[in-house]
Amino acid sequence: MTTIQSRRKLIVIILLCVALGGAAMRQLAAPGSTLRDIGTLLMLLWVPIIGNVISWLISRLRRPAPMAPSPFDERPAFEPQLLVELTLRPPKLPAEDIPVPAGEHRCALVVGNEAFSARWWVPADRSFRRGSPQALEVEFLAPQLALPKFQAEAGFRMLVGESFIGDGRVLRPVEPARP
């Protein structure tokens, strides 16, 4: 249990005890007295906690459906189709200014108002910081649709989630590897 969870649990227990004390005070006080009104107010301190407990229970019941596997997962290996120069935008928070790790990264590349699912690969022997241009290889999910839009020197933007995180331009097509 994290520190925040244990603190929340302690707060719930304390407010429950205060509400039970208020109920007892209200029960023992004479009708119309100030002590009875204070007991009623102490009982009302429990109302926000009940709302939080109910919302927690509802969130536990409404689990999101598992995501469908990506079509990229079905492909055997990374087969680049383009060499691009990519410049990732610097992060807004200094804590997020960490090197881009080696490995596969997925995104959508946007030309005009059309977006194409793609993945790009950072070789194992190098990582880089955002803000500097990098020559990287890209593979499209539907190359027959995307490649006509990504001619040499074509500019594009990189979309991840709902944010544009980078800009780039096409350097050249990559010849397919021969077996």
Side-chain angles (χ1 to χ4, degrees):
M1 186 180 301
T2 66
T3 304
I4 292 175
Q5 289 173 332
S6 62
R7 287 180 183 167
R8 285 181 180 167
K9 189 175 183 180
L10 179 64
I11 290 169
V12 168
I13 291 170
I14 289 171
L15 287 175
L16 177 60
C17 291
V18 168
L20 290 174
M25 184 185 301
R26 189 173 190 281
Q27 189 67 27
L28 298 174
S33 68
T34 305
L35 201 55
R36 186 175 176 99
D37 293 340
I38 291 173
T40 303
L41 286 174
L42 291 175
M43 284 176 50
L44 290 177
L45 286 175
W46 182 245
V47 171
I49 298 300
I50 291 173
N52 286 334
V53 169
I54 290 171
S55 67
W56 177 79
L57 288 172
I58 289 172
S59 71
R60 300 286 284 186
L61 294 175
R62 287 189 197 165
R63 295 192 186 267
M67 289 180 46
S70 169
F72 277 122
D73 295 336
E74 299 169 5
R75 295 191 177 186
F78 181 77
E79 297 174 10
Q81 289 129 4
L82 289 178
L83 181 66
V84 300
E85 180 183 75
L86 182 64
T87 305
L88 295 177
R89 296 177 183 163
K92 294 180 180 168
L93 299 173
E96 294 175 357
D97 190 15
I98 57 174
V100 175
E104 177 185 303
H105 302 273
R106 296 181 183 179
C107 64
L109 298 182
V110 180
V111 172
N113 62 356
E114 295 181 279
F116 301 92
S117 295
R119 62 181 175 176
W120 48 283
W121 189 264
V122 177
D125 60 341
R126 88 175 206 224
S127 64
F128 63 91
R129 290 223 178 264
R130 297 169 183 267
S132 62
Q134 300 292 319
L136 299 166
E137 295 179 328
V138 173
E139 177 186 18
F140 289 102
L141 184 60
Q144 66 279 6
L145 297 174
L147 290 176
K149 305 287 185 184
F150 288 87
Q151 299 298 319
E153 298 301 316
F156 61 87
R157 294 179 294 165
M158 178 186 284
L159 179 69
V160 174
E162 297 178 0
S163 302
F164 287 105
I165 66 160
D167 303 291
R169 67 182 177 92
V170 177
L171 296 176
R172 63 177 170 79
V174 174
E175 298 298 323
R178 295 192 178 146

